[in-house]
Amino acid sequence: MTRPIIGRVEPEQRRTSGAPNPTQSGREAGAAREPGTARIAVDLLGGDQAPAVVVDGALRACQADPTLQLLLVGPVEAADAVLAALGPGDRTRVRAVAAPTGPYVDERDVSSVESGVRTAVLAVAQGLADAVLSAGNTGATVTSAALGLGRWPGVRRPALTAVLPSAAGRLVLLDVGSSVDPDEATLAMHARLGAAYASTVHGIAAPRVGLLTIGTERGKGDRLRRAAPAVLAGLELPGAGRYVGLVEGNDVVTGGAADVIVTDGFTGNVLLKGLETAYALLGTPTPEPARQDARPDGRRDAGHGNGGADEARAAVLLGVGGTVVVCHGAASGADIAAGIGLAASLHRRAAVPAIADLITDPDPQSPRGGS
Amino acid sequence: MTRPIIGRVEPEQRRTSGAPNPTQSGREAGAAREPGTARIAVDLLGGDQAPAVVVDGALRACQADPTLQLLLVGPVEAADAVLAALGPGDRTRVRAVAAPTGPYVDERDVSSVESGVRTAVLAVAQGLADAVLSAGNTGATVTSAALGLGRWPGVRRPALTAVLPSAAGRLVLLDVGSSVDPDEATLAMHARLGAAYASTVHGIAAPRVGLLTIGTERGKGDRLRRAAPAVLAGLELPGAGRYVGLVEGNDVVTGGAADVIVTDGFTGNVLLKGLETAYALLGTPTPEPARQDARPDGRRDAGHGNGGADEARAAVLLGVGGTVVVCHGAASGADIAAGIGLAASLHRRAAVPAIADLITDPDPQSPRGGS
């Protein structure tokens, strides 16, 4: 398997105080930079209907965001299709990068089509792009990102992190497909990553972190879920997060029990695909304002500042030294565009470096000055 | 752990031919008896809000079904509450059975409250009731049922089997909480049980059975899901069922890929609770009539004959020598009533013996006369 590579994390933004301000919005929490250019490397070859769907999504994203720049990685003809559809003034915003087309063989035996995401990741590693978007094979994306961008200290398996609507507001669900056979230590790191995401991106003070299982009585669940609570209960969580114990499938829909729900990547992926399909068919659970005001702890989810970008049907890979967004293999053009928008939004808010900072901070209790 | 006990299956009804008739309805498929009395043993002590919710559910069930008889197992005061609310003419339909209240200790260390389900199971084993309904601890119910009613030959772990609405009709999902760390052999037996249920109860000819995983490329999924397809692909499935390969979370909602979806009890329970909560909040996916007519294989789900009883938010335990229905711990009175209705419907149709017959038939291809 891959060797552990310690991430080259460069905290672009340090928090100005050790504890988040409960009243600041998500945008304010992560926003050290002014909104500006975002350069997204897009894997044209990833996805069931690539490159056509990716070309469509890239075009939509360009049209929706005039300060977006795209690095289109893959067949030159596909990149040309995007360029041809753009007005002359916008063509300077798109660059094509050919991906190597020869067979690519590594220990995971991913095929040559994965060279797109490898090249896109390298563009970020080399400073040519700010973030990566791929709808390709998740395993190949995780491996490429871990190798090309490095992993944060202590992260054995990066977490694919999704945001779902719930009846109580937005909910962070992880892992949704990266770590299919995790141990307790990986679940514990993912709990920390999820708390850092909710704190940084959603501006939630003291996010509540729950462990997904199938019954809240002691001793319920499979081997992993019987072993994990002891590890999670003693864990210090970033952003003043707290472990609230066991939650169940219904809590992912109601959102009332936790702001962050941790599970293995197999269960998370199955549940995410089930719920996203149900919501696409039947509508999305939305919080009633009265209910939100009436949260038992009096807190409110204040993170309404990112224009809904993180409600994209896409997931962020947390634990690697860069901003990597993954769309479903079956993503539509609109989904790809939303994923590109999410990548741009996270970059502009310097969200991933801020999360890395929370995770790798050796002493989370000490007050720190801005860098 | 528990010793393997071979079930005392008494096939109450044998199929009159080896292959189901594609045009017959679900009711016709399982209905050798005339609809008549059904005696359901109800565990008054099972569920988060027992006995109040169970009392409510028992009353509703009595009022909805004039030929129902209930054996209420648990505190006599709770049974008295049901009797007091019924008219004098209906009181003969309800009998109270005190459950032992002393501590009950076995190798699973289930507490004394589980004695309700043990006593209810014994009532079925002794011929005093036709089926069991419990909203108590699933593990205790499975253990009590396996010990008290026996397991069918080859069934190591009975399967908790749920029916979900989908955009293509009803879908059988199993296991939803009995077998949390299964191996490939258990998944294979559950595939057989699911096919037999879809054939017998839903009247589906040649049910399609899929394995739930997180991507349809070769090599995706966790250890279990990478190992299981080889076992499932070579399996002979009852009811002329066929294994259609890997499916994903979205297929549980759309229903287009399979009639039966097999998974481990952990993933199944999480997904079931998530989707049931989403459907309760947002509405239920329903097939468009035109879509149903347009199934690629021209088949139709003809099993509309059981009055919607098996759309109850309840699950049937398959693989034990009796009819056992399990409701959520958080079930409402209406859910309990629907679960009792499901138990009565399955009994009246002799569904569980018919499924046992399909599973334990040593030569499913040979034509058999009625018994």
PDB file of all heavy atoms in Angstrom, chain A residues 171-206:
ATOM      1  N   LEU A 171     -26.127  19.263   7.578  1.00  0.00           N
ATOM      2  CA  LEU A 171     -25.504  18.212   8.374  1.00  0.00           C
ATOM      3  C   LEU A 171     -24.279  17.680   7.632  1.00  0.00           C
ATOM      4  O   LEU A 171     -24.327  17.441   6.430  1.00  0.00           O
ATOM      5  CB  LEU A 171     -26.527  17.102   8.596  1.00  0.00           C
ATOM      6  CG  LEU A 171     -26.082  15.949   9.475  1.00  0.00           C
ATOM      7  CD1 LEU A 171     -27.194  15.605  10.454  1.00  0.00           C
ATOM      8  CD2 LEU A 171     -25.736  14.730   8.650  1.00  0.00           C
ATOM      9  N   VAL A 172     -23.182  17.513   8.362  1.00  0.00           N
ATOM     10  CA  VAL A 172     -21.940  16.995   7.784  1.00  0.00           C
ATOM     11  C   VAL A 172     -21.922  15.483   7.990  1.00  0.00           C
ATOM     12  O   VAL A 172     -22.052  15.012   9.125  1.00  0.00           O
ATOM     13  CB  VAL A 172     -20.714  17.649   8.452  1.00  0.00           C
ATOM     14  CG1 VAL A 172     -19.417  17.059   7.886  1.00  0.00           C
ATOM     15  CG2 VAL A 172     -20.747  19.163   8.273  1.00  0.00           C
ATOM     16  N   LEU A 173     -21.786  14.734   6.896  1.00  0.00           N
ATOM     17  CA  LEU A 173     -21.717  13.268   6.965  1.00  0.00           C
ATOM     18  C   LEU A 173     -20.381  12.816   6.397  1.00  0.00           C
ATOM     19  O   LEU A 173     -20.023  13.174   5.271  1.00  0.00           O
ATOM     20  CB  LEU A 173     -22.869  12.654   6.155  1.00  0.00           C
ATOM     21  CG  LEU A 173     -22.914  11.115   6.089  1.00  0.00           C
ATOM     22  CD1 LEU A 173     -23.261  10.516   7.453  1.00  0.00           C
ATOM     23  CD2 LEU A 173     -23.922  10.650   5.044  1.00  0.00           C
ATOM     24  N   LEU A 174     -19.622  12.050   7.200  1.00  0.00           N
ATOM     25  CA  LEU A 174     -18.362  11.509   6.709  1.00  0.00           C
ATOM     26  C   LEU A 174     -18.058  10.205   7.416  1.00  0.00           C
ATOM     27  O   LEU A 174     -18.549  10.012   8.519  1.00  0.00           O
ATOM     28  CB  LEU A 174     -17.218  12.514   6.870  1.00  0.00           C
ATOM     29  CG  LEU A 174     -16.588  12.766   8.251  1.00  0.00           C
ATOM     30  CD1 LEU A 174     -15.380  13.659   8.063  1.00  0.00           C
ATOM     31  CD2 LEU A 174     -17.532  13.365   9.274  1.00  0.00           C
ATOM     32  N   ASP A 175     -17.409   9.293   6.767  1.00  0.00           N
ATOM     33  CA  ASP A 175     -16.876   9.287   5.432  1.00  0.00           C
ATOM     34  C   ASP A 175     -17.932   8.734   4.468  1.00  0.00           C
ATOM     35  O   ASP A 175     -18.715   7.869   4.844  1.00  0.00           O
ATOM     36  CB  ASP A 175     -15.614   8.421   5.459  1.00  0.00           C
ATOM     37  CG  ASP A 175     -15.018   8.169   4.121  1.00  0.00           C
ATOM     38  OD1 ASP A 175     -14.895   9.095   3.309  1.00  0.00           O
ATOM     39  OD2 ASP A 175     -14.689   7.002   3.872  1.00  0.00           O
ATOM     40  N   VAL A 176     -17.930   9.213   3.214  1.00  0.00           N
ATOM     41  CA  VAL A 176     -18.930   8.731   2.251  1.00  0.00           C
ATOM     42  C   VAL A 176     -18.286   7.978   1.092  1.00  0.00           C
ATOM     43  O   VAL A 176     -18.839   7.949  -0.002  1.00  0.00           O
ATOM     44  CB  VAL A 176     -19.841   9.872   1.737  1.00  0.00           C
ATOM     45  CG1 VAL A 176     -20.649  10.464   2.889  1.00  0.00           C
ATOM     46  CG2 VAL A 176     -19.052  10.953   1.019  1.00  0.00           C
ATOM     47  N   GLY A 177     -17.152   7.333   1.352  1.00  0.00           N
ATOM     48  CA  GLY A 177     -16.645   6.450   0.303  1.00  0.00           C
ATOM     49  C   GLY A 177     -15.143   6.263   0.224  1.00  0.00           C
ATOM     50  O   GLY A 177     -14.674   5.470  -0.579  1.00  0.00           O
ATOM     51  N   SER A 178     -14.401   6.954   1.072  1.00  0.00           N
ATOM     52  CA  SER A 178     -12.945   6.809   0.990  1.00  0.00           C
ATOM     53  C   SER A 178     -12.453   5.619   1.804  1.00  0.00           C
ATOM     54  O   SER A 178     -11.616   4.844   1.353  1.00  0.00           O
ATOM     55  CB  SER A 178     -12.279   8.102   1.479  1.00  0.00           C
ATOM     56  OG  SER A 178     -10.930   7.884   1.807  1.00  0.00           O
ATOM     57  N   SER A 179     -12.989   5.471   3.004  1.00  0.00           N
ATOM     58  CA  SER A 179     -12.462   4.492   3.956  1.00  0.00           C
ATOM     59  C   SER A 179     -13.515   3.417   4.205  1.00  0.00           C
ATOM     60  O   SER A 179     -14.384   3.581   5.049  1.00  0.00           O
ATOM     61  CB  SER A 179     -12.119   5.228   5.252  1.00  0.00           C
ATOM     62  OG  SER A 179     -11.619   4.354   6.210  1.00  0.00           O
ATOM     63  N   VAL A 180     -13.449   2.306   3.465  1.00  0.00           N
ATOM     64  CA  VAL A 180     -14.540   1.330   3.522  1.00  0.00           C
ATOM     65  C   VAL A 180     -14.378   0.311   4.642  1.00  0.00           C
ATOM     66  O   VAL A 180     -15.352  -0.315   5.049  1.00  0.00           O
ATOM     67  CB  VAL A 180     -14.740   0.605   2.170  1.00  0.00           C
ATOM     68  CG1 VAL A 180     -15.269   1.580   1.145  1.00  0.00           C
ATOM     69  CG2 VAL A 180     -13.470  -0.058   1.690  1.00  0.00           C
ATOM     70  N   ASP A 181     -13.174   0.106   5.135  1.00  0.00           N
ATOM     71  CA  ASP A 181     -12.951  -0.818   6.252  1.00  0.00           C
ATOM     72  C   ASP A 181     -12.149  -0.118   7.342  1.00  0.00           C
ATOM     73  O   ASP A 181     -11.037  -0.535   7.673  1.00  0.00           O
ATOM     74  CB  ASP A 181     -12.202  -2.081   5.775  1.00  0.00           C
ATOM     75  CG  ASP A 181     -13.103  -3.044   5.007  1.00  0.00           C
ATOM     76  OD1 ASP A 181     -14.166  -3.392   5.548  1.00  0.00           O
ATOM     77  OD2 ASP A 181     -12.737  -3.436   3.894  1.00  0.00           O
ATOM     78  N   PRO A 182     -12.674   0.962   7.919  1.00  0.00           N
ATOM     79  CA  PRO A 182     -11.873   1.742   8.864  1.00  0.00           C
ATOM     80  C   PRO A 182     -11.769   1.044  10.221  1.00  0.00           C
ATOM     81  O   PRO A 182     -12.555   0.161  10.541  1.00  0.00           O
ATOM     82  CB  PRO A 182     -12.675   3.028   9.005  1.00  0.00           C
ATOM     83  CG  PRO A 182     -14.091   2.598   8.824  1.00  0.00           C
ATOM     84  CD  PRO A 182     -14.035   1.494   7.794  1.00  0.00           C
ATOM     85  N   ASP A 183     -10.799   1.470  11.005  1.00  0.00           N
ATOM     86  CA  ASP A 183     -10.743   1.055  12.401  1.00  0.00           C
ATOM     87  C   ASP A 183     -11.187   2.241  13.268  1.00  0.00           C
ATOM     88  O   ASP A 183     -11.543   3.312  12.762  1.00  0.00           O
ATOM     89  CB  ASP A 183      -9.341   0.557  12.774  1.00  0.00           C
ATOM     90  CG  ASP A 183      -8.283   1.623  12.551  1.00  0.00           C
ATOM     91  OD1 ASP A 183      -8.633   2.804  12.310  1.00  0.00           O
ATOM     92  OD2 ASP A 183      -7.091   1.285  12.632  1.00  0.00           O
ATOM     93  N   GLU A 184     -11.169   2.046  14.595  1.00  0.00           N
ATOM     94  CA  GLU A 184     -11.641   3.091  15.501  1.00  0.00           C
ATOM     95  C   GLU A 184     -10.814   4.364  15.372  1.00  0.00           C
ATOM     96  O   GLU A 184     -11.343   5.475  15.485  1.00  0.00           O
ATOM     97  CB  GLU A 184     -11.576   2.634  16.962  1.00  0.00           C
ATOM     98  CG  GLU A 184     -12.308   1.356  17.278  1.00  0.00           C
ATOM     99  CD  GLU A 184     -11.411   0.143  17.144  1.00  0.00           C
ATOM    100  OE1 GLU A 184     -11.216  -0.321  16.008  1.00  0.00           O
ATOM    101  OE2 GLU A 184     -10.924  -0.335  18.182  1.00  0.00           O
ATOM    102  N   ALA A 185      -9.490   4.208  15.156  1.00  0.00           N
ATOM    103  CA  ALA A 185      -8.624   5.387  15.078  1.00  0.00           C
ATOM    104  C   ALA A 185      -8.991   6.240  13.869  1.00  0.00           C
ATOM    105  O   ALA A 185      -8.982   7.478  13.937  1.00  0.00           O
ATOM    106  CB  ALA A 185      -7.158   4.955  15.015  1.00  0.00           C
ATOM    107  N   THR A 186      -9.327   5.582  12.759  1.00  0.00           N
ATOM    108  CA  THR A 186      -9.731   6.343  11.567  1.00  0.00           C
ATOM    109  C   THR A 186     -11.062   7.036  11.814  1.00  0.00           C
ATOM    110  O   THR A 186     -11.237   8.219  11.460  1.00  0.00           O
ATOM    111  CB  THR A 186      -9.791   5.405  10.343  1.00  0.00           C
ATOM    112  OG1 THR A 186      -8.454   4.974  10.043  1.00  0.00           O
ATOM    113  CG2 THR A 186     -10.372   6.100   9.127  1.00  0.00           C
ATOM    114  N   LEU A 187     -12.017   6.358  12.445  1.00  0.00           N
ATOM    115  CA  LEU A 187     -13.290   7.020  12.778  1.00  0.00           C
ATOM    116  C   LEU A 187     -13.037   8.226  13.685  1.00  0.00           C
ATOM    117  O   LEU A 187     -13.674   9.277  13.526  1.00  0.00           O
ATOM    118  CB  LEU A 187     -14.245   6.055  13.491  1.00  0.00           C
ATOM    119  CG  LEU A 187     -14.946   4.982  12.662  1.00  0.00           C
ATOM    120  CD1 LEU A 187     -15.962   4.234  13.532  1.00  0.00           C
ATOM    121  CD2 LEU A 187     -15.656   5.580  11.449  1.00  0.00           C
ATOM    122  N   ALA A 188     -12.096   8.089  14.623  1.00  0.00           N
ATOM    123  CA  ALA A 188     -11.815   9.195  15.534  1.00  0.00           C
ATOM    124  C   ALA A 188     -11.216  10.384  14.781  1.00  0.00           C
ATOM    125  O   ALA A 188     -11.621  11.537  15.013  1.00  0.00           O
ATOM    126  CB  ALA A 188     -10.863   8.723  16.637  1.00  0.00           C
ATOM    127  N   MET A 189     -10.287  10.115  13.859  1.00  0.00           N
ATOM    128  CA  MET A 189      -9.738  11.233  13.076  1.00  0.00           C
ATOM    129  C   MET A 189     -10.829  11.870  12.217  1.00  0.00           C
ATOM    130  O   MET A 189     -10.899  13.092  12.075  1.00  0.00           O
ATOM    131  CB  MET A 189      -8.573  10.736  12.209  1.00  0.00           C
ATOM    132  CG  MET A 189      -8.007  11.787  11.258  1.00  0.00           C
ATOM    133  SD  MET A 189      -7.543  13.380  12.043  1.00  0.00           S
ATOM    134  CE  MET A 189      -5.884  13.016  12.617  1.00  0.00           C
ATOM    135  N   HIS A 190     -11.713  11.042  11.682  1.00  0.00           N
ATOM    136  CA  HIS A 190     -12.800  11.594  10.862  1.00  0.00           C
ATOM    137  C   HIS A 190     -13.758  12.434  11.715  1.00  0.00           C
ATOM    138  O   HIS A 190     -14.299  13.435  11.236  1.00  0.00           O
ATOM    139  CB  HIS A 190     -13.521  10.464  10.126  1.00  0.00           C
ATOM    140  CG  HIS A 190     -12.689   9.855   9.036  1.00  0.00           C
ATOM    141  ND1 HIS A 190     -13.144   8.872   8.194  1.00  0.00           N
ATOM    142  CD2 HIS A 190     -11.407  10.096   8.632  1.00  0.00           C
ATOM    143  CE1 HIS A 190     -12.187   8.536   7.335  1.00  0.00           C
ATOM    144  NE2 HIS A 190     -11.128   9.256   7.588  1.00  0.00           N
ATOM    145  N   ALA A 191     -13.969  12.035  12.956  1.00  0.00           N
ATOM    146  CA  ALA A 191     -14.780  12.864  13.861  1.00  0.00           C
ATOM    147  C   ALA A 191     -14.133  14.238  14.017  1.00  0.00           C
ATOM    148  O   ALA A 191     -14.821  15.274  14.002  1.00  0.00           O
ATOM    149  CB  ALA A 191     -14.913  12.177  15.220  1.00  0.00           C
ATOM    150  N   ARG A 192     -12.801  14.280  14.143  1.00  0.00           N
ATOM    151  CA  ARG A 192     -12.100  15.554  14.284  1.00  0.00           C
ATOM    152  C   ARG A 192     -12.219  16.384  12.998  1.00  0.00           C
ATOM    153  O   ARG A 192     -12.456  17.596  13.042  1.00  0.00           O
ATOM    154  CB  ARG A 192     -10.627  15.321  14.644  1.00  0.00           C
ATOM    155  CG  ARG A 192     -10.438  14.570  15.980  1.00  0.00           C
ATOM    156  CD  ARG A 192      -8.969  14.530  16.391  1.00  0.00           C
ATOM    157  NE  ARG A 192      -8.485  15.871  16.623  1.00  0.00           N
ATOM    158  CZ  ARG A 192      -7.288  16.330  16.258  1.00  0.00           C
ATOM    159  NH1 ARG A 192      -6.434  15.522  15.652  1.00  0.00           N
ATOM    160  NH2 ARG A 192      -6.954  17.576  16.488  1.00  0.00           N
ATOM    161  N   LEU A 193     -12.049  15.702  11.841  1.00  0.00           N
ATOM    162  CA  LEU A 193     -12.150  16.411  10.557  1.00  0.00           C
ATOM    163  C   LEU A 193     -13.556  16.987  10.367  1.00  0.00           C
ATOM    164  O   LEU A 193     -13.713  18.128   9.912  1.00  0.00           O
ATOM    165  CB  LEU A 193     -11.802  15.462   9.403  1.00  0.00           C
ATOM    166  CG  LEU A 193     -10.338  14.998   9.315  1.00  0.00           C
ATOM    167  CD1 LEU A 193     -10.200  13.845   8.323  1.00  0.00           C
ATOM    168  CD2 LEU A 193      -9.432  16.153   8.893  1.00  0.00           C
ATOM    169  N   GLY A 194     -14.559  16.223  10.731  1.00  0.00           N
ATOM    170  CA  GLY A 194     -15.939  16.685  10.574  1.00  0.00           C
ATOM    171  C   GLY A 194     -16.241  17.871  11.472  1.00  0.00           C
ATOM    172  O   GLY A 194     -16.904  18.835  11.060  1.00  0.00           O
ATOM    173  N   ALA A 195     -15.765  17.813  12.715  1.00  0.00           N
ATOM    174  CA  ALA A 195     -15.981  18.940  13.636  1.00  0.00           C
ATOM    175  C   ALA A 195     -15.283  20.190  13.112  1.00  0.00           C
ATOM    176  O   ALA A 195     -15.840  21.295  13.164  1.00  0.00           O
ATOM    177  CB  ALA A 195     -15.463  18.574  15.028  1.00  0.00           C
ATOM    178  N   ALA A 196     -14.080  20.009  12.578  1.00  0.00           N
ATOM    179  CA  ALA A 196     -13.342  21.166  12.040  1.00  0.00           C
ATOM    180  C   ALA A 196     -14.067  21.754  10.825  1.00  0.00           C
ATOM    181  O   ALA A 196     -14.134  22.984  10.659  1.00  0.00           O
ATOM    182  CB  ALA A 196     -11.917  20.745  11.672  1.00  0.00           C
ATOM    183  N   TYR A 197     -14.653  20.904  10.001  1.00  0.00           N
ATOM    184  CA  TYR A 197     -15.398  21.385   8.833  1.00  0.00           C
ATOM    185  C   TYR A 197     -16.637  22.166   9.273  1.00  0.00           C
ATOM    186  O   TYR A 197     -16.898  23.273   8.788  1.00  0.00           O
ATOM    187  CB  TYR A 197     -15.801  20.206   7.937  1.00  0.00           C
ATOM    188  CG  TYR A 197     -16.408  20.636   6.618  1.00  0.00           C
ATOM    189  CD1 TYR A 197     -15.629  20.745   5.472  1.00  0.00           C
ATOM    190  CD2 TYR A 197     -17.763  20.954   6.508  1.00  0.00           C
ATOM    191  CE1 TYR A 197     -16.169  21.153   4.256  1.00  0.00           C
ATOM    192  CE2 TYR A 197     -18.319  21.365   5.305  1.00  0.00           C
ATOM    193  CZ  TYR A 197     -17.520  21.457   4.188  1.00  0.00           C
ATOM    194  OH  TYR A 197     -18.064  21.874   2.984  1.00  0.00           O
ATOM    195  N   ALA A 198     -17.409  21.602  10.192  1.00  0.00           N
ATOM    196  CA  ALA A 198     -18.642  22.269  10.654  1.00  0.00           C
ATOM    197  C   ALA A 198     -18.311  23.606  11.305  1.00  0.00           C
ATOM    198  O   ALA A 198     -19.032  24.596  11.137  1.00  0.00           O
ATOM    199  CB  ALA A 198     -19.394  21.369  11.633  1.00  0.00           C
ATOM    200  N   SER A 199     -17.226  23.640  12.054  1.00  0.00           N
ATOM    201  CA  SER A 199     -16.819  24.876  12.714  1.00  0.00           C
ATOM    202  C   SER A 199     -16.347  25.917  11.695  1.00  0.00           C
ATOM    203  O   SER A 199     -16.772  27.068  11.723  1.00  0.00           O
ATOM    204  CB  SER A 199     -15.696  24.544  13.716  1.00  0.00           C
ATOM    205  OG  SER A 199     -15.055  25.709  14.163  1.00  0.00           O
ATOM    206  N   THR A 200     -15.514  25.490  10.771  1.00  0.00           N
ATOM    207  CA  THR A 200     -14.878  26.426   9.830  1.00  0.00           C
ATOM    208  C   THR A 200     -15.834  26.847   8.715  1.00  0.00           C
ATOM    209  O   THR A 200     -15.943  28.038   8.408  1.00  0.00           O
ATOM    210  CB  THR A 200     -13.634  25.754   9.206  1.00  0.00           C
ATOM    211  OG1 THR A 200     -12.755  25.366  10.242  1.00  0.00           O
ATOM    212  CG2 THR A 200     -12.935  26.696   8.246  1.00  0.00           C
ATOM    213  N   VAL A 201     -16.504  25.893   8.107  1.00  0.00           N
ATOM    214  CA  VAL A 201     -17.294  26.193   6.907  1.00  0.00           C
ATOM    215  C   VAL A 201     -18.727  26.576   7.268  1.00  0.00           C
ATOM    216  O   VAL A 201     -19.312  27.477   6.667  1.00  0.00           O
ATOM    217  CB  VAL A 201     -17.261  25.003   5.925  1.00  0.00           C
ATOM    218  CG1 VAL A 201     -18.106  25.290   4.686  1.00  0.00           C
ATOM    219  CG2 VAL A 201     -15.824  24.704   5.514  1.00  0.00           C
ATOM    220  N   HIS A 202     -19.314  25.905   8.262  1.00  0.00           N
ATOM    221  CA  HIS A 202     -20.699  26.231   8.646  1.00  0.00           C
ATOM    222  C   HIS A 202     -20.766  27.217   9.802  1.00  0.00           C
ATOM    223  O   HIS A 202     -21.857  27.623  10.185  1.00  0.00           O
ATOM    224  CB  HIS A 202     -21.470  24.955   9.006  1.00  0.00           C
ATOM    225  CG  HIS A 202     -21.707  24.054   7.822  1.00  0.00           C
ATOM    226  ND1 HIS A 202     -22.222  22.795   7.929  1.00  0.00           N
ATOM    227  CD2 HIS A 202     -21.485  24.249   6.495  1.00  0.00           C
ATOM    228  CE1 HIS A 202     -22.308  22.249   6.725  1.00  0.00           C
ATOM    229  NE2 HIS A 202     -21.860  23.106   5.842  1.00  0.00           N
ATOM    230  N   GLY A 203     -19.631  27.578  10.379  1.00  0.00           N
ATOM    231  CA  GLY A 203     -19.644  28.537  11.470  1.00  0.00           C
ATOM    232  C   GLY A 203     -20.405  28.071  12.693  1.00  0.00           C
ATOM    233  O   GLY A 203     -20.977  28.876  13.429  1.00  0.00           O
ATOM    234  N   ILE A 204     -20.433  26.762  12.910  1.00  0.00           N
ATOM    235  CA  ILE A 204     -21.169  26.220  14.062  1.00  0.00           C
ATOM    236  C   ILE A 204     -20.237  26.200  15.272  1.00  0.00           C
ATOM    237  O   ILE A 204     -19.152  25.619  15.224  1.00  0.00           O
ATOM    238  CB  ILE A 204     -21.694  24.807  13.760  1.00  0.00           C
ATOM    239  CG1 ILE A 204     -22.738  24.878  12.641  1.00  0.00           C
ATOM    240  CG2 ILE A 204     -22.289  24.168  15.019  1.00  0.00           C
ATOM    241  CD1 ILE A 204     -23.294  23.539  12.237  1.00  0.00           C
ATOM    242  N   ALA A 205     -20.675  26.855  16.332  1.00  0.00           N
ATOM    243  CA  ALA A 205     -19.907  26.826  17.575  1.00  0.00           C
ATOM    244  C   ALA A 205     -20.140  25.490  18.262  1.00  0.00           C
ATOM    245  O   ALA A 205     -21.269  25.014  18.337  1.00  0.00           O
ATOM    246  CB  ALA A 205     -20.354  27.957  18.489  1.00  0.00           C
ATOM    247  N   ALA A 206     -19.080  24.887  18.740  1.00  0.00           N
ATOM    248  CA  ALA A 206     -19.170  23.630  19.488  1.00  0.00           C
ATOM    249  C   ALA A 206     -20.012  22.584  18.754  1.00  0.00           C
ATOM    250  O   ALA A 206     -21.040  22.127  19.266  1.00  0.00           O
ATOM    251  CB  ALA A 206     -19.722  23.880  20.897  1.00  0.00           C
TER     252      ALA A 206
END
